[in-house]
Coordinates of all heavy atoms in Angstrom, one line a residue:
M11 N 11.2 50.3 32.2 CA 11.6 50.0 33.5 C 12.9 49.3 33.6 O 13.6 49.5 34.6 CB 10.5 49.2 34.2 CG 10.6 49.3 35.7 SD 10.4 50.9 36.3 CE 10.0 50.7 37.9
K12 N 13.3 48.6 32.5 CA 14.5 47.9 32.5 C 15.7 48.9 32.5 O 16.8 48.5 33.0 CB 14.6 47.0 31.3 CG 15.7 46.1 31.2 CD 15.6 45.1 30.0 CE 16.8 44.2 30.0 NZ 16.8 43.3 28.8
T13 N 15.6 50.0 31.9 CA 16.7 51.0 31.8 C 16.7 52.0 33.0 O 17.6 52.8 33.1 CB 16.7 51.7 30.5 OG1 15.5 52.4 30.4 CG2 16.9 50.8 29.3
F14 N 15.7 51.9 33.8 CA 15.6 52.9 34.9 C 16.7 52.7 35.9 O 17.3 53.7 36.3 CB 14.2 52.8 35.6 CG 14.1 53.8 36.7 CD1 14.0 55.2 36.5 CD2 14.1 53.3 38.0 CE1 13.8 56.0 37.5 CE2 14.0 54.2 39.1 CZ 13.8 55.6 38.8
R15 N 16.9 51.5 36.4 CA 17.9 51.2 37.4 C 19.3 51.6 36.9 O 20.1 52.3 37.6 CB 17.9 49.8 37.8 CG 16.7 49.5 38.8 CD 16.8 48.1 39.3 NE 18.1 47.9 39.9 CZ 18.4 47.0 40.8 NH1 17.5 46.2 41.2 NH2 19.6 46.9 41.3
P16 N 19.8 51.2 35.7 CA 21.1 51.6 35.2 C 21.2 53.2 35.1 O 22.2 53.7 35.4 CB 21.3 50.9 33.9 CG 20.3 49.8 33.9 CD 19.2 50.2 34.8
C17 N 20.2 53.8 34.6 CA 20.2 55.3 34.5 C 20.3 56.0 35.8 O 21.0 56.9 36.0 CB 19.0 55.8 33.7 SG 19.1 55.3 31.9
L18 N 19.5 55.4 36.8 CA 19.5 56.0 38.1 C 20.9 55.8 38.8 O 21.4 56.7 39.4 CB 18.4 55.4 39.0 CG 18.4 55.9 40.5 CD1 18.0 57.4 40.5 CD2 17.4 55.1 41.3
A19 N 21.5 54.6 38.6 CA 22.8 54.3 39.2 C 23.9 55.3 38.5 O 24.7 55.8 39.2 CB 23.2 52.9 38.9
E20 N 23.8 55.5 37.2 CA 24.7 56.4 36.5 C 24.6 57.8 37.1 O 25.6 58.5 37.3 CB 24.4 56.3 35.0 CG 25.4 57.1 34.2 CD 26.8 56.4 34.1 OE1 26.8 55.2 34.2 OE2 27.8 57.1 33.9
F21 N 23.3 58.2 37.2 CA 23.1 59.6 37.7 C 23.6 59.8 39.1 O 24.3 60.7 39.4 CB 21.6 59.9 37.7 CG 21.3 61.2 38.4 CD1 21.5 62.4 37.7 CD2 20.7 61.2 39.6 CE1 21.2 63.6 38.3 CE2 20.4 62.4 40.2 CZ 20.7 63.6 39.6
L22 N 23.3 58.8 40.0 CA 23.8 58.9 41.4 C 25.3 58.8 41.6 O 25.9 59.5 42.3 CB 23.1 57.9 42.3 CG 21.6 58.1 42.5 CD1 21.0 56.9 43.3 CD2 21.3 59.4 43.2
G23 N 25.9 57.9 40.8 CA 27.3 57.8 40.8 C 28.0 59.0 40.3 O 29.0 59.5 40.9
T24 N 27.6 59.6 39.3 CA 28.1 60.8 38.7 C 27.9 62.0 39.7 O 28.9 62.8 39.9 CB 27.5 61.1 37.3 OG1 27.7 60.0 36.5 CG2 28.2 62.4 36.7
F25 N 26.8 62.1 40.2 CA 26.5 63.2 41.2 C 27.4 63.1 42.4 O 28.0 64.1 42.8 CB 25.0 63.1 41.6 CG 24.7 64.1 42.7 CD1 24.6 65.5 42.4 CD2 24.7 63.7 44.0 CE1 24.3 66.4 43.4 CE2 24.4 64.6 45.0 CZ 24.2 65.9 44.8
Y26 N 27.6 61.9 42.9 CA 28.4 61.6 44.1 C 29.9 62.0 43.8 O 30.5 62.7 44.6 CB 28.3 60.2 44.6 CG 29.1 59.9 45.7 CD1 28.9 60.5 47.0 CD2 30.2 59.0 45.6 CE1 29.7 60.2 48.1 CE2 31.0 58.7 46.7 CZ 30.7 59.3 47.9 OH 31.5 59.1 49.0
M27 N 30.4 61.5 42.7 CA 31.8 61.8 42.3 C 32.0 63.3 42.1 O 32.9 63.9 42.6 CB 32.2 61.1 41.1 CG 33.6 61.3 40.8 SD 34.1 60.4 39.3 CE 35.7 61.2 39.0
C28 N 31.1 64.0 41.4 CA 31.2 65.4 41.2 C 31.0 66.2 42.5 O 31.8 67.2 42.7 CB 30.1 65.9 40.2 SG 30.5 65.3 38.5
F29 N 30.1 65.8 43.4 CA 29.9 66.5 44.6 C 31.1 66.4 45.5 O 31.6 67.4 46.1 CB 28.7 65.9 45.3 CG 28.3 66.5 46.6 CD1 27.6 67.7 46.6 CD2 28.7 66.0 47.8 CE1 27.3 68.4 47.8 CE2 28.4 66.6 49.0 CZ 27.7 67.8 49.0
A30 N 31.7 65.2 45.6 CA 32.9 65.1 46.5 C 34.1 65.8 45.8 O 34.9 66.5 46.6 CB 33.2 63.6 46.6
G31 N 34.3 65.6 44.5 CA 35.5 66.3 43.9 C 35.4 67.8 43.9 O 36.4 68.5 44.2
I32 N 34.3 68.3 43.5 CA 34.1 69.8 43.5 C 34.2 70.3 44.9 O 34.7 71.4 45.1 CB 32.8 70.2 42.7 CG1 32.9 69.8 41.3 CG2 32.5 71.6 42.9 CD1 31.7 69.9 40.5
G33 N 33.6 69.6 45.9 CA 33.7 70.0 47.3 C 35.1 70.1 47.7 O 35.5 71.1 48.4
A34 N 36.0 69.2 47.3 CA 37.4 69.2 47.7 C 38.1 70.4 47.1 O 38.9 71.0 47.7 CB 38.1 67.9 47.4
I35 N 37.8 70.7 45.8 CA 38.4 71.8 45.1 C 38.0 73.1 45.7 O 38.8 74.0 46.0 CB 38.0 71.7 43.6 CG1 38.7 70.5 43.0 CG2 38.5 73.0 42.9 CD1 38.2 70.2 41.6
L36 N 36.7 73.3 46.0 CA 36.2 74.5 46.6 C 36.7 74.8 48.0 O 36.6 75.9 48.5 CB 34.7 74.5 46.5 CG 34.1 74.7 45.1 CD1 32.5 74.6 45.2 CD2 34.5 75.9 44.5
C37 N 37.1 73.7 48.7 CA 37.6 73.9 50.1 C 38.9 74.8 50.0 O 39.3 75.3 51.1 CB 38.0 72.6 50.7 SG 36.5 71.7 51.3
G38 N 39.6 74.8 48.9 CA 40.8 75.6 48.8 C 40.6 77.1 48.5 O 41.5 77.8 48.4
T39 N 39.3 77.5 48.4 CA 39.1 78.9 48.1 C 39.2 79.7 49.4 O 39.1 79.2 50.5 CB 37.6 79.1 47.6 OG1 36.7 78.6 48.6 CG2 37.4 78.3 46.3
P40 N 39.5 81.0 49.2 CA 39.7 81.9 50.4 C 38.5 82.0 51.3 O 38.5 82.2 52.5 CB 40.1 83.2 49.8 CG 40.6 82.9 48.4 CD 39.9 81.7 48.0
A41 N 37.3 81.8 50.7 CA 36.0 81.9 51.5 C 35.9 80.8 52.5 O 35.4 81.0 53.6 CB 34.8 81.9 50.5
V42 N 36.4 79.6 52.2 CA 36.3 78.5 53.1 C 37.5 78.5 54.0 O 37.4 78.2 55.2 CB 36.1 77.2 52.3 CG1 36.1 76.0 53.2 CG2 34.9 77.2 51.4
G43 N 38.7 78.6 53.4 CA 39.9 78.7 54.2 C 40.7 77.4 54.4 O 41.8 77.5 54.7
A44 N 40.1 76.3 54.2 CA 40.8 75.0 54.4 C 41.4 74.7 53.0 O 40.8 74.8 52.0 CB 39.9 73.9 54.8
A45 N 42.7 74.3 53.0 CA 43.4 74.0 51.8 C 43.7 72.5 51.8 O 44.7 72.1 52.4 CB 44.6 74.9 51.6
P46 N 43.0 71.7 51.0 CA 43.3 70.3 51.0 C 44.5 70.0 50.2 O 45.1 68.9 50.3 CB 42.0 69.6 50.4 CG 41.5 70.7 49.6 CD 41.8 72.0 50.3
G47 N 44.9 70.9 49.3 CA 46.0 70.6 48.4 C 45.7 69.6 47.4 O 44.6 69.1 47.3
L48 N 46.7 69.3 46.6 CA 46.6 68.4 45.5 C 46.3 67.0 46.0 O 45.5 66.2 45.4 CB 47.8 68.4 44.6 CG 47.7 67.6 43.3 CD1 46.6 68.1 42.4 CD2 49.1 67.6 42.6
L49 N 46.9 66.6 47.1 CA 46.7 65.2 47.6 C 45.3 65.1 48.1 O 44.6 64.0 47.8 CB 47.7 65.0 48.8 CG 47.5 63.6 49.4 CD1 47.9 62.5 48.4 CD2 48.5 63.5 50.6
G50 N 44.7 66.0 48.7 CA 43.3 66.0 49.2 C 42.3 65.9 48.0 O 41.4 65.2 48.1
I51 N 42.6 66.7 47.0 CA 41.7 66.7 45.8 C 41.8 65.3 45.1 O 40.8 64.8 44.7 CB 42.1 67.8 44.9 CG1 41.8 69.2 45.6 CG2 41.4 67.7 43.6 CD1 42.3 70.4 44.9
A52 N 43.0 64.8 45.0 CA 43.2 63.5 44.3 C 42.5 62.4 45.1 O 41.8 61.5 44.5 CB 44.7 63.2 44.1
L53 N 42.7 62.4 46.4 CA 42.0 61.4 47.2 C 40.5 61.5 47.2 O 39.8 60.5 47.3 CB 42.6 61.4 48.7 CG 44.0 60.9 48.8 CD1 44.5 61.1 50.3 CD2 44.1 59.5 48.4
A54 N 40.0 62.7 47.2 CA 38.6 62.9 47.2 C 38.0 62.3 45.9 O 37.0 61.6 46.0 CB 38.2 64.4 47.3
H55 N 38.6 62.6 44.8 CA 38.1 62.1 43.5 C 38.3 60.5 43.5 O 37.4 59.8 43.0 CB 38.8 62.7 42.3 CG 38.3 64.0 41.9 ND1 38.9 65.2 42.5 CD2 37.4 64.4 41.1 CE1 38.2 66.2 41.9 NE2 37.3 65.8 41.1
G56 N 39.4 60.1 43.9 CA 39.7 58.6 43.8 C 38.8 57.8 44.7 O 38.2 56.8 44.3
L57 N 38.6 58.3 46.0 CA 37.7 57.5 46.9 C 36.3 57.6 46.5 O 35.5 56.7 46.6 CB 37.9 58.1 48.3 CG 39.3 57.7 49.0 CD1 39.4 58.4 50.3 CD2 39.4 56.2 49.1
A58 N 35.9 58.8 46.0 CA 34.5 59.0 45.5 C 34.2 58.0 44.4 O 33.1 57.4 44.3 CB 34.2 60.4 45.1
L59 N 35.1 57.9 43.5 CA 34.9 57.0 42.3 C 34.9 55.5 42.8 O 34.1 54.7 42.3 CB 36.0 57.2 41.3 CG 35.8 56.4 40.0 CD1 34.5 56.7 39.3 CD2 37.0 56.7 39.0
S60 N 35.8 55.2 43.7 CA 35.8 53.8 44.2 C 34.5 53.5 44.9 O 34.0 52.4 44.7 CB 37.0 53.7 45.2 OG 38.2 53.8 44.6
I61 N 34.0 54.4 45.7 CA 32.8 54.1 46.4 C 31.6 54.0 45.5 O 30.7 53.1 45.6 CB 32.5 55.2 47.5 CG1 33.6 55.0 48.6 CG2 31.1 55.1 48.1 CD1 33.6 56.1 49.6
A62 N 31.6 54.9 44.5 CA 30.5 54.9 43.5 C 30.5 53.6 42.7 O 29.4 53.0 42.5 CB 30.5 56.1 42.6
V63 N 31.6 53.2 42.3 CA 31.7 52.0 41.4 C 31.3 50.8 42.3 O 30.5 49.9 41.8 CB 33.1 51.8 40.9 CG1 33.3 50.4 40.3 CG2 33.4 52.8 39.8
N64 N 31.8 50.7 43.5 CA 31.4 49.6 44.4 C 29.9 49.6 44.8 O 29.3 48.5 44.9 CB 32.3 49.5 45.6 CG 33.7 49.0 45.3 OD1 33.8 48.1 44.5 ND2 34.7 49.7 45.9
A65 N 29.4 50.8 45.0 CA 27.9 50.8 45.4 C 27.0 50.6 44.2 O 26.0 49.9 44.4 CB 27.7 52.2 45.9
F66 N 27.3 51.0 43.0 CA 26.4 51.0 41.9 C 26.9 50.0 40.8 O 26.2 49.9 39.8 CB 26.2 52.3 41.3 CG 25.6 53.3 42.3 CD1 26.4 54.4 42.7 CD2 24.4 53.1 42.9 CE1 25.9 55.3 43.6 CE2 23.9 54.0 43.8 CZ 24.6 55.1 44.2
G67 N 28.0 49.4 41.0 CA 28.6 48.5 39.9 C 27.7 47.3 39.7 O 27.7 46.7 38.6
A68 N 27.0 46.8 40.7 CA 26.2 45.6 40.5 C 25.0 45.8 39.6 O 24.4 44.8 39.1 CB 25.7 45.1 41.9
V69 N 24.6 47.0 39.3 CA 23.5 47.3 38.4 C 23.9 47.0 37.0 O 23.1 46.6 36.2 CB 23.1 48.8 38.6 CG1 22.0 49.1 37.6 CG2 22.6 49.1 40.0
N70 N 25.2 47.1 36.7 CA 25.7 46.8 35.4 C 25.6 45.3 35.1 O 25.5 44.5 36.0 CB 27.2 47.2 35.4 CG 27.8 47.1 34.0 OD1 27.5 46.2 33.2 ND2 28.6 48.1 33.7
E71 N 25.5 44.9 33.8 CA 25.4 43.5 33.5 C 26.7 42.7 33.9 O 26.6 41.5 34.0 CB 25.1 43.3 32.0 CG 26.2 43.7 31.0 CD 26.2 45.2 30.7 OE1 25.3 45.9 31.2 OE2 27.0 45.6 29.9
R72 N 27.8 43.4 34.0 CA 29.0 42.7 34.4 C 29.2 42.6 35.9 O 30.0 41.9 36.4 CB 30.2 43.4 33.8 CG 30.3 43.2 32.3 CD 31.4 44.1 31.8 NE 30.7 45.2 31.2 CZ 31.2 46.3 30.9 NH1 32.5 46.5 31.1 NH2 30.5 47.3 30.4
G73 N 28.4 43.3 36.6 CA 28.2 43.3 38.1 C 29.4 43.1 38.9 O 30.1 44.0 39.3
R74 N 29.7 41.8 39.2 CA 30.7 41.5 40.2 C 32.1 41.9 39.7 O 32.9 42.4 40.5 CB 30.7 40.0 40.5 CG 31.5 39.6 41.6 CD 31.2 38.2 42.0 NE 32.1 37.8 43.0 CZ 32.3 36.6 43.4 NH1 31.7 35.6 42.8 NH2 33.2 36.3 44.4
A75 N 32.4 41.7 38.5 CA 33.7 42.1 38.0 C 34.0 43.6 38.1 O 35.1 44.1 38.4 CB 33.9 41.7 36.5
V76 N 32.9 44.4 37.9 CA 33.0 45.8 38.0 C 33.3 46.2 39.5 O 34.1 47.1 39.8 CB 31.8 46.5 37.5 CG1 31.8 48.0 37.8 CG2 31.6 46.3 36.0
K77 N 32.6 45.6 40.4 CA 32.7 45.9 41.8 C 34.1 45.5 42.3 O 34.7 46.3 43.1 CB 31.7 45.1 42.7 CG 30.3 45.7 42.5 CD 29.3 45.0 43.4 CE 29.5 45.6 44.8 NZ 28.4 45.3 45.7
I78 N 34.7 44.4 41.8 CA 36.1 44.1 42.3 C 37.1 45.1 41.8 O 38.0 45.4 42.5 CB 36.4 42.6 41.8 CG1 35.5 41.6 42.5 CG2 37.8 42.3 42.0 CD1 35.6 40.2 42.0
G79 N 36.9 45.6 40.6 CA 37.9 46.6 40.0 C 37.6 48.0 40.5 O 38.4 48.9 40.1
G80 N 36.6 48.3 41.3 CA 36.3 49.6 41.7 C 37.4 50.3 42.4 O 37.7 51.5 42.1
F81 N 38.1 49.7 43.3 CA 39.1 50.3 44.1 C 40.3 50.6 43.2 O 41.0 51.7 43.3 CB 39.6 49.4 45.2 CG 40.5 50.1 46.2 CD1 40.1 51.2 46.9 CD2 41.8 49.7 46.3 CE1 40.9 51.8 47.8 CE2 42.7 50.3 47.2 CZ 42.2 51.4 47.9
G82 N 40.6 49.7 42.2 CA 41.7 50.0 41.3 C 41.4 51.1 40.4 O 42.3 51.9 40.1
I83 N 40.2 51.3 40.0 CA 39.8 52.4 39.1 C 40.0 53.7 39.9 O 40.5 54.7 39.4 CB 38.4 52.2 38.6 CG1 38.3 51.0 37.7 CG2 37.9 53.5 37.9 CD1 36.8 50.6 37.4
G84 N 39.5 53.7 41.1 CA 39.7 54.9 42.0 C 41.1 55.3 42.2 O 41.5 56.5 42.2
L85 N 42.0 54.3 42.5 CA 43.4 54.6 42.6 C 44.0 55.1 41.4 O 44.9 56.0 41.4 CB 44.1 53.3 43.1 CG 44.0 52.9 44.5 CD1 44.7 51.6 44.8 CD2 44.5 54.0 45.5
T86 N 43.6 54.6 40.2 CA 44.1 55.1 38.9 C 43.8 56.5 38.7 O 44.6 57.3 38.3 CB 43.6 54.2 37.8 OG1 43.9 52.9 38.0 CG2 44.1 54.7 36.5
V87 N 42.6 56.9 39.1 CA 42.2 58.3 38.9 C 42.9 59.2 39.9 O 43.4 60.3 39.5 CB 40.6 58.5 39.1 CG1 40.2 59.9 39.2 CG2 39.9 57.8 38.0
A88 N 43.1 58.8 41.1 CA 43.9 59.5 42.1 C 45.3 59.7 41.7 O 45.9 60.8 41.8 CB 43.8 58.9 43.5
F89 N 45.9 58.6 41.2 CA 47.3 58.7 40.7 C 47.4 59.6 39.5 O 48.4 60.4 39.4 CB 47.8 57.3 40.3 CG 49.2 57.2 39.9 CD1 50.2 57.4 40.9 CD2 49.6 57.0 38.6 CE1 51.6 57.3 40.5 CE2 50.9 57.0 38.2 CZ 51.9 57.1 39.2
D90 N 46.4 59.6 38.6 CA 46.5 60.5 37.4 C 46.4 62.0 37.9 O 47.1 62.8 37.3 CB 45.3 60.2 36.5 CG 45.2 61.2 35.4 OD1 46.1 61.2 34.6 OD2 44.2 61.9 35.3
I91 N 45.6 62.3 38.9 CA 45.5 63.6 39.4 C 46.8 64.1 40.0 O 47.2 65.2 39.8 CB 44.3 63.8 40.3 CG1 43.0 63.6 39.5 CG2 44.3 65.1 41.0 CD1 41.7 63.5 40.4
L92 N 47.4 63.2 40.8 CA 48.6 63.5 41.5 C 49.8 63.7 40.5 O 50.5 64.7 40.7 CB 49.0 62.4 42.5 CG 48.3 62.4 43.8 CD1 48.6 61.1 44.5 CD2 48.5 63.6 44.6
C93 N 49.9 62.9 39.5 CA 51.0 63.0 38.6 C 50.7 64.0 37.4 O 51.6 64.8 37.1 CB 51.3 61.6 38.0 SG 52.0 60.5 39.1
G94 N 49.5 64.0 36.9 CA 49.2 64.8 35.8 C 48.6 66.2 36.1 O 48.5 67.1 35.3
G95 N 48.2 66.3 37.3 CA 47.5 67.5 37.7 C 48.2 68.8 37.5 O 47.7 69.8 36.9
P96 N 49.5 68.9 38.0 CA 50.2 70.1 37.8 C 50.6 70.4 36.4 O 50.7 71.6 36.0 CB 51.5 69.9 38.6 CG 51.2 68.8 39.6 CD 50.2 67.9 38.9
V97 N 50.7 69.4 35.5 CA 51.1 69.6 34.2 C 49.9 69.8 33.2 O 49.9 70.8 32.4 CB 51.9 68.4 33.7 CG1 52.3 68.6 32.2 CG2 53.1 68.2 34.5
T98 N 48.9 69.0 33.4 CA 47.8 69.0 32.4 C 46.4 69.4 33.0 O 45.4 69.3 32.4 CB 47.6 67.7 31.7 OG1 47.2 66.7 32.7 CG2 48.9 67.2 31.1
G99 N 46.4 69.7 34.3 CA 45.1 70.0 35.0 C 44.4 68.7 35.2 O 43.2 68.7 35.3
A100 N 45.1 67.6 35.3 CA 44.6 66.2 35.5 C 43.7 65.8 34.4 O 42.8 65.0 34.6 CB 43.9 66.1 36.9
S101 N 44.0 66.2 33.2 CA 43.2 65.7 32.0 C 43.6 64.3 31.8 O 44.7 63.9 31.9 CB 43.6 66.5 30.8 OG 43.1 66.0 29.7
M102 N 42.6 63.5 31.5 CA 42.8 62.0 31.3 C 43.4 61.8 29.9 O 43.9 60.7 29.7 CB 41.5 61.2 31.4 CG 40.9 61.3 32.8 SD 42.0 60.4 33.9 CE 41.1 60.6 35.4
N103 N 43.4 62.8 29.1 CA 44.0 62.7 27.8 C 45.0 63.9 27.7 O 44.6 65.0 27.2 CB 43.0 62.8 26.6 CG 43.6 62.5 25.3 OD1 44.9 62.4 25.2 ND2 42.8 62.5 24.3
P104 N 46.2 63.8 28.2 CA 47.1 65.0 28.2 C 47.5 65.6 26.9 O 47.9 66.7 26.8 CB 48.3 64.4 28.9 CG 48.3 63.0 28.9 CD 46.8 62.6 28.7
C105 N 47.3 64.8 25.8 CA 47.6 65.4 24.5 C 46.7 66.5 24.1 O 47.1 67.4 23.4 CB 47.5 64.3 23.4 SG 48.7 63.0 23.6
E106 N 45.5 66.5 24.7 CA 44.6 67.7 24.4 C 45.0 68.9 25.1 O 44.8 70.0 24.6 CB 43.2 67.3 24.9 CG 42.5 66.2 24.0 CD 41.1 65.9 24.6 OE1 40.7 66.6 25.5 OE2 40.5 65.0 24.0
R107 N 45.7 68.8 26.3 CA 46.0 70.0 27.1 C 47.4 70.5 26.8 O 47.7 71.7 26.9 CB 45.9 69.6 28.6 CG 44.5 69.2 29.0 CD 43.6 70.4 29.0 NE 42.3 70.0 29.4 CZ 41.2 70.7 29.2 NH1 41.3 71.9 28.6 NH2 40.1 70.3 29.6
I108 N 48.3 69.6 26.4 CA 49.7 70.1 26.2 C 49.8 70.8 24.9 O 50.5 71.8 24.7 CB 50.7 68.9 26.3 CG1 50.7 68.3 27.7 CG2 52.0 69.2 25.8 CD1 51.5 67.1 27.9
S109 N 49.2 70.3 23.8 CA 49.3 70.9 22.5 C 48.6 72.2 22.3 O 47.9 72.7 23.0 CB 48.9 69.9 21.4 OG 47.5 69.6 21.6

């Protein structure tokens, strides 16, 4: 039971981030018609990660420190997508995609 809460938090946080990010990407398809562009996709991923870290960060043993840094982590991901997206497909490790 001790590992249930952290596993549930990890699952819900990952699901939320994937749901928001993939939803933003799929909005640009011709079937939907709305085009959020790169900025919308970056903000969707960044905000989703910020909210997930702030909502579920207290489950972690570091708790408060994780919650305080949640917004900075989300902004870092959004900035990475904005700057690296056109070049590397927003890979967090661009050496894998460029070579």
Side-chain angles (χ1 to χ4, degrees):
M11 195 62 159
K12 187 176 180 182
T13 59
F14 179 71
R15 284 186 54 156
C17 289
L18 180 64
E20 186 74 27
F21 173 76
L22 291 175
T24 303
F25 173 78
Y26 179 67
M27 183 179 164
C28 290
F29 184 78
I32 293 170
I35 293 168
L36 291 178
C37 282
T39 61
V42 177
L48 186 60
L49 180 62
I51 293 169
L53 288 177
H55 279 91
L57 289 174
L59 184 60
S60 295
I61 292 170
V63 167
N64 285 320
F66 302 113
V69 175
N70 190 320
E71 68 274 358
R72 288 171 260 162
R74 191 168 175 196
V76 172
K77 287 185 81 166
I78 291 171
F81 189 65
I83 294 168
L85 283 177
T86 302
V87 170
F89 185 73
D90 176 61
I91 293 171
L92 283 173
C93 293
V97 178
T98 66
S101 173
M102 296 293 178
N103 186 358
C105 294
E106 292 179 6
R107 299 290 179 193
I108 292 175
S109 59

